[in-house]
């Protein structure tokens, strides 16, 4: 849920930004505001699957069994998905996707399609790069002694991965299903107001999401965080 809130902030920051500031600057701004999500995770002690991949350290140290490890991962993964879906429900029925004449929703659509355009191998390696940075952020945050220290510690690495377009499985649990929901249920007036065609987002499909994105990104996240950093 916290990571989904980070993406809500990201979507808001991107409305019209790229037209004024260009791709690079707009992405950096989006990354900076998205870092709020991980700051909330760190400060509240919440469980995030990507950083929880580092419990491989506990397994390597023989502090837990493989059964315990996979049970923990499964609970956190499902819990994160529930949190993401909860935020989608709030944003859908709250009409967030209709803000700014529908351009807020278009950010969700465009970002989701971009994620699904990666092939399996690309998504896998982008997942590795992403969680290398996420787990570095969490690791470095432990060096902080104050709330300010911890927030500053996570901001840089998280802004970097978002700006660079790396792939985060839990963030995608919010972004892509929300994009699919808008694609499937938005009324004709939404598309007409934006001057875009629903057919342009035909790639937004559940099968493509689960097999072409979430699976390789999750595997990449495990390697990037659990093995490379762990």
């Amino acid at each position: 849920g916290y990571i989904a809130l980070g993406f809500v902030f990201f979507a808001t920051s991107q409305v019209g930004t790229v037209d004024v500031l260009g791709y690079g600057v707009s992405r950096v701004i989006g990354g900076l505001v998205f870092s709020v999500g991980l700051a909330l995770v760190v400060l509240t002690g919440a469980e995030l699957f990507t950083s929880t991949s580092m419990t491989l350290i506990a397994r390597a140290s023989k502090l837990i069994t493989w059964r315990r490890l996979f049970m923990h991962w499964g609970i956190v993964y499902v819990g994160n998905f529930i949190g993401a879906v909860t935020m989608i429900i709030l944003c859908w029925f709250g009409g967030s996707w209709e803000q700014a004449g529908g351009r807020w929703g278009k950010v969700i659509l465009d970002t989701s399609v971009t994620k699904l355009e990666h092939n399996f191998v690309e998504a896998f390696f982008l997942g590795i790069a992403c969680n290398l940075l996420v787990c570095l952020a969490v690791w470095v945050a432990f060096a902080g002694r104050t709330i300010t220290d911890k927030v500053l510690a996570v901001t840089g690495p998280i802004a970097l991965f978002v700006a660079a377009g790396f792939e985060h499985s839990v963030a995608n649990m919010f972004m892509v299903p929300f994009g699919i929901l808008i694609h499937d249920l938005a009324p004709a007036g939404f598309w007409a107001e934006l001057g875009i065609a629903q057919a342009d987002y035909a790639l937004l499909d559940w099968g493509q999401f689960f097999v072409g994105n979430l699976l390789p990104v999750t595997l990449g996240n495990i390697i990037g965080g659990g093995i490379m950093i762990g």
Side-chain angles (χ1 to χ4, degrees), residues 177-197:
F178 200 1
I180 295 173
L181 189 66
I182 294 172
H183 172 265
D184 291 349
L185 300 182
F190 170 82
W191 304 99
E193 185 174 11
L194 290 170
I196 57 177

Side-chain angles (χ1 to χ4, degrees), residues 11 63 65 97 102 116 122 137 139 166 202 212:
L63 298 176
T65 63
W97 57 283
L116 297 189
E122 290 172 344
W139 184 8
F166 297 156

Side-chain angles (χ1 to χ4, degrees), residues 56-211:
L56 273 173
I57 299 171
R59 179 65 198 90
S61 301
K62 298 182 179 179
L63 298 176
I64 58 173
T65 63
W66 283 112
R67 180 177 181 275
R68 181 79 173 184
L69 173 73
F70 290 125
M71 182 183 297
H72 179 72
W73 279 5
I75 291 170
V76 174
Y77 198 82
V78 172
N80 286 173
F81 218 126
I82 292 171
V85 170
T86 300
M87 290 309 306
I88 291 173
I89 292 171
L90 293 176
C91 290
W92 174 262
F93 287 104
S96 298
W97 57 283
E98 298 175 295
Q99 292 179 5
R103 288 184 296 161
W104 199 97
K106 187 175 184 297
V107 171
I108 300 292
L109 289 168
D110 291 341
T111 305
S112 299
V113 164
T114 299
K115 291 179 176 299
L116 297 189
E117 286 175 342
H118 297 304
N119 61 42
F120 193 98
V121 174
E122 290 172 344
F124 173 71
F125 280 99
L126 289 172
I128 293 176
C130 167
N131 209 27
L132 187 150
L133 286 163
V134 171
C135 289
L136 278 174
V138 172
W139 184 8
V140 172
F142 277 102
R145 293 293 180 266
T146 68
I147 290 177
T148 303
D149 292 345
K150 293 177 183 296
V151 170
L152 289 174
V154 303
T155 297
I158 300 307
L160 195 166
F161 104 67
V162 174
F166 297 156
E167 293 288 315
H168 189 283
S169 58
V170 179
N172 291 358
M173 291 175 185
F174 170 79
M175 181 61 74
V176 182
F178 200 1
I180 295 173
L181 189 66
I182 294 172
H183 172 265
D184 291 349
L185 300 182
F190 170 82
W191 304 99
E193 185 174 11
L194 290 170
I196 57 177
Q198 185 181 23
D200 294 339
Y201 298 92
L203 195 61
L204 291 174
D205 171 80
W206 289 110
Q208 180 65 21
F209 168 54
F210 284 116
V211 179

